[in-house]
Amino acid sequence: MIDVNNLNKKFCEDLKRSLLYGITDIGREILGIERKSARLRKSEFWALDNISFSIKKGQSVGLIGSNGAGKSTLLRIISGLIKPDSGVVKVRGRVAPLIALGAGFSPILTGRENIFVNMAILGVTKKEIKKNFDEVVSFAELGHALDMPVQSYSSGMAARLGFACAIFTNPDILLIDEVLAVGDVKFRAKCYRKLAELKAHDTTFILVSHSSQSILSICDTAIYLSKGHLIKYGKAAEIMNYYENELLNKGKDIEVSTRMIFSEKSAERSEGIDFLEIQFCNSEGITLDTLASGESVFLIIKCKVHFPIDNVGLKIIIRELSFESMSSITLDSSDDNFEFNLTPGIVTFKISLPHLSFKPGLYVAKLNINQSDLHVYDAIESYKFNVIDKHLIMLHSTHFQQRDWEIIR
């Protein structure tokens, strides 16, 4: 359905130069002079650089990559909104692009009028629009707002109307660029059900999303772009795992150490208990570079005690370093009715975490050792560690649940 061969597209960072280059290129085309598209002019950069892939009929493809990777540019070229500088794109069938909220909508026209205008732009005849009109209205759930100007719509209402218009054009190819992130949970679920229905009827679609769960639940395959380059193309689960591991390895400019060692304090500088070392280990006591979802691990914390102290508790707050999640997990020995009576010397705490429940990601832990939360003896503000999905058990889950299966006859 889609063939992309040696596709290249460049943009200019400077507005004035961009206008000048545009006029020059148009003039060359009018005069039949070949454009010099193989090299970059001043202030230009490659948004897409030598991209090639093919998508078959009925295939659902996730397009992933960080901001500025070239995902939206690629969709715009496939949909025919912009021209490539070089390379060939072959598209077979009716394309319905959902690339921008409200694209093709006139703000002064009503929702009803925009349905006819938008679907006509997508290549649907007036007879087909009238046939599908009631289904579009029902899906968009606009109610009385149907006869209000679109300029009075919220972004969520515009998203519902745009999505409804696109899917009821009976497209052969559907291009979706992050527009599902705007609607409410109920509407997103409705959209995903509709996408599954279209998929069952062999509709080909490309979905751009930063949500790994969206990609994995809808798409069979995935394309990973980075700075205009095609990094990897294959099964969605493998590509998402590769992409997330790459993000972790880049570390987001954060230094991650699996083992932290602290200098000993003198008795005069100490509050009574000091952290000396923290690390994750396996059952054999070997330090783990990274943790794997579902595997058993041990958190080893070594401390120095300067004088006898009773009723000591250890508290650990773990949070995922992600803009999508602000949730945290607290491990508190006092909550578990474990308080320790410590004597002077070196003491090691060993916390067993069987079947690690964390999804893949970068995490930060804050630790303190205290006495009934009234007095904190020492604290570690930031201990960072990675979790990977080595066994591909977290593809459709946010937490790991240990389970056993059996059949009873």
Side-chain angles (χ1 to χ4, degrees), residues 346-366:
I346 305 299
V347 61
T348 300
F349 297 93
K350 185 176 182 180
I351 301 103
S352 174
L353 301 175
H355 313 297
L356 191 71
S357 65
F358 300 161
K359 68 178 182 179
L362 182 62
Y363 292 83
V364 60
K366 180 178 180 179

Side-chain angles (χ1 to χ4, degrees), residues 216-284:
L216 292 170
S217 61
I218 296 173
C219 303
D220 306 316
T221 55
I223 296 172
Y224 172 24
L225 294 180
S226 179
K227 297 180 180 180
H229 297 277
L230 196 156
I231 304 300
K232 212 169 181 62
Y233 180 30
K235 293 181 180 179
E238 295 175 0
I239 301 302
M240 287 306 302
N241 200 48
Y242 180 88
Y243 171 58
E244 290 181 347
N245 285 340
E246 271 223 332
L247 288 181
L248 294 178
N249 291 333
K250 289 176 182 175
K252 303 176 184 178
D253 298 325
I254 299 171
E255 292 185 5
V256 178
S257 175
T258 56
R259 186 183 184 193
M260 294 181 72
I261 300 175
F262 306 92
S263 301
E264 288 193 29
K265 298 176 184 176
S266 64
E268 293 76 21
R269 294 179 57 244
S270 173
E271 292 292 328
I273 308 174
D274 307 318
F275 286 114
L276 294 180
E277 187 177 329
I278 177 173
Q279 62 180 316
F280 278 103
C281 295
N282 60 17
S283 58
E284 298 172 352

Side-chain angles (χ1 to χ4, degrees), residues 132-292:
N132 294 321
F133 184 82
D134 290 339
E135 288 185 281
V136 174
V137 172
S138 175
F139 192 93
E141 299 177 359
L142 295 180
H144 67 280
L146 180 64
D147 292 306
M148 292 169 55
V150 165
Q151 64 186 3
S152 65
Y153 286 13
S154 67
S155 58
M157 293 167 70
R160 293 204 300 269
L161 184 59
F163 190 87
C165 288
I167 61 175
F168 285 104
T169 60
N170 297 319
D172 299 302
I173 301 168
L174 187 61
L175 308 177
I176 310 168
D177 188 2
E178 282 289 359
V179 297
L180 298 183
V182 178
D184 55 36
V185 174
K186 181 181 176 184
F187 181 71
R188 288 203 300 270
K190 187 177 182 179
C191 291
Y192 291 137
R193 287 196 298 271
K194 188 63 181 179
L195 289 177
E197 182 183 321
L198 291 173
K199 185 177 177 181
H201 288 86
D202 280 343
T203 299
T204 302
F205 58 85
I206 301 177
L207 171 67
V208 174
S209 179
H210 289 285
S211 169
S212 58
Q213 296 303 312
S214 297
I215 297 291
L216 292 170
S217 61
I218 296 173
C219 303
D220 306 316
T221 55
I223 296 172
Y224 172 24
L225 294 180
S226 179
K227 297 180 180 180
H229 297 277
L230 196 156
I231 304 300
K232 212 169 181 62
Y233 180 30
K235 293 181 180 179
E238 295 175 0
I239 301 302
M240 287 306 302
N241 200 48
Y242 180 88
Y243 171 58
E244 290 181 347
N245 285 340
E246 271 223 332
L247 288 181
L248 294 178
N249 291 333
K250 289 176 182 175
K252 303 176 184 178
D253 298 325
I254 299 171
E255 292 185 5
V256 178
S257 175
T258 56
R259 186 183 184 193
M260 294 181 72
I261 300 175
F262 306 92
S263 301
E264 288 193 29
K265 298 176 184 176
S266 64
E268 293 76 21
R269 294 179 57 244
S270 173
E271 292 292 328
I273 308 174
D274 307 318
F275 286 114
L276 294 180
E277 187 177 329
I278 177 173
Q279 62 180 316
F280 278 103
C281 295
N282 60 17
S283 58
E284 298 172 352
I286 299 172
T287 300
L288 298 172
D289 293 330
T290 54
L291 312 184

